[in-house]
Amino acid sequence: MKTLKILHMYADLLDLYGDSGNMEILDYRCRMRGITCEIDKYSVDSEIPDFSSYDLIYIGGGADLEQQHIAADLLRCREALKKAYDEGVFLFLICGGYQLMGKYYRDADGNDIPGLGLFDYYTIAPESRKKRCIGNIVIRTEITGKPVDVVGFENHGGQTNGVKSPFGKVLYGNGNCSQSEAEGYFEKNVIATYLHGPCLAKNPEISDYMISYCMNRGADSPAELAPLDDKLEIDCRKVMLNRLLNKK
Ligand code: GLN
């Protein structure tokens, strides 16, 4: 069976609210199915990796300071990373990582951190540092072909505008902007979201969407993933959905 190869970028700097747990979940869900999952790490000033040799590239979230810290290095990787994305490598991006794949992130002091401009959106933080989108969030996504209510936790000042294809519709919480209807950004090989949590621990369908995409990429006949027992995850999520959606 094919090995699923993941590159986790800036794990030492961008890892808010358990974001690196997303890698543990992908590894676990692969292992349970007999799929080998290899996770390499890349960080600032290392040799530019062959991004195209990976199935999935992951960047977690980070505060403004960490984003500033990695911005120049990320730009250095732009061409190789864009090539991989164009070839269909999956990009999974959380919060700070999500913001930096757009045109720019403007912080509360008005300083622009340049993004890679892979996508058209851009993010601006309000001048007041007190105006942040913080709390639990529920979004409904249809990426798997049927509606899935995804739960997570958001904490961002940045307001992301210009998203043409969101990851989901906000049922509770804020999303791309304060009180917005849309959350995240989606293409068949991109999930970019404000959801920490870590997001994949709470939402098994999203992990499986990515594993399935990676395993079937380039395959003549797509194979179904073997089902796993997700009762615990689904029960936990039901508690959150009841608590948050019934409040409205
Ligand atoms: N620094 C960014 C913001 O506050 C991203 C924060 C994060 O990754 N949680 O908008």
Side-chain angles (χ1 to χ4, degrees), residues 16-17 61-64 67 94-96 99 105 132 155-158 196:
L16 282 179
Y17 317 114
D64 295 12
Q67 285 178 290
I94 309 289
C95 200
Q99 294 171 347
Y105 169 62
R132 296 185 66 80
N155 184 354
H156 55 105
H196 301 279

Side-chain angles (χ1 to χ4, degrees), residues 10-245:
Y10 310 118
D12 52 340
L13 292 162
L14 301 181
D15 181 21
L16 282 179
Y17 317 114
D19 283 345
S20 60
N22 285 328
M23 296 297 94
E24 291 176 41
I25 300 297
L26 285 181
D27 180 50
Y28 166 78
R29 297 186 73 79
C30 283
R31 227 175 335 110
M32 294 300 281
R33 294 171 165 122
I35 302 168
T36 307
C37 179
E38 265 177 33
I39 304 177
D40 291 343
K41 290 196 175 161
Y42 167 83
S43 197
V44 175
D45 288 342
S46 302
E47 194 181 322
I48 295 183
D50 178 8
F51 291 103
S52 298
S53 69
Y54 290 93
D55 297 299
L56 185 146
I57 293 165
Y58 176 60
I59 310 182
D64 295 12
L65 187 66
E66 281 78 27
Q67 285 178 290
Q68 277 160 11
H69 213 80
I70 62 124
D73 188 82
L74 189 59
L75 279 177
R76 193 176 72 102
C77 297
R78 186 182 187 283
E79 293 321 309
L81 196 52
K82 180 170 183 334
K83 178 172 169 285
Y85 153 71
D86 287 340
E87 288 166 359
V89 172
F90 200 96
L91 303 185
F92 180 37
L93 313 161
I94 309 289
C95 200
Y98 165 28
Q99 294 171 347
L100 291 182
M101 289 293 150
K103 289 181 175 161
Y104 59 86
Y105 169 62
R106 182 167 300 156
D107 70 18
D109 297 322
N111 302 315
D112 282 1
I113 303 176
L116 293 199
L118 255 49
F119 313 120
D120 283 342
Y121 57 78
Y122 56 94
T123 305
I124 301 180
E127 280 173 28
S128 164
R129 287 192 167 73
K130 287 184 187 147
K131 285 192 190 154
R132 296 185 66 80
C133 301
I134 305 176
N136 290 309
I137 173 166
V138 183
I139 65 168
R140 181 163 296 165
T141 185
E142 309 244 349
I143 64 166
T144 63
K146 47 185 175 188
V148 180
D149 290 349
V150 171
V151 298
F153 170 78
E154 61 180 336
N155 184 354
H156 55 105
Q159 309 286 295
T160 300
N161 291 284
V163 170
K164 293 195 188 88
S165 49
F167 174 42
K169 180 177 175 313
V170 180
L171 302 185
Y172 181 92
N174 290 286
N176 284 336
C177 298
S178 179
Q179 299 295 308
S180 65
E181 283 183 8
E183 202 289 321
Y185 178 77
F186 174 75
E187 287 180 24
K188 71 174 186 335
N189 63 326
V190 182
I191 293 178
T193 177
Y194 275 113
L195 271 58
H196 301 279
C199 165
L200 297 186
K202 300 180 175 184
N203 305 286
E205 300 87 344
I206 307 307
S207 306
D208 285 358
Y209 173 86
M210 290 191 272
I211 296 171
S212 174
Y213 173 91
C214 293
M215 294 306 287
N216 285 313
R217 190 173 147 227
D220 294 334
S221 48
E224 295 266 314
L225 290 181
L228 299 182
D229 179 4
D230 292 329
K231 187 178 179 319
L232 185 61
E233 289 86 339
I234 306 271
D235 282 352
C236 288
R237 185 168 55 190
K238 265 190 208 148
V239 172
M240 287 309 286
L241 292 174
N242 279 336
R243 190 184 295 169
L244 299 173
L245 298 181

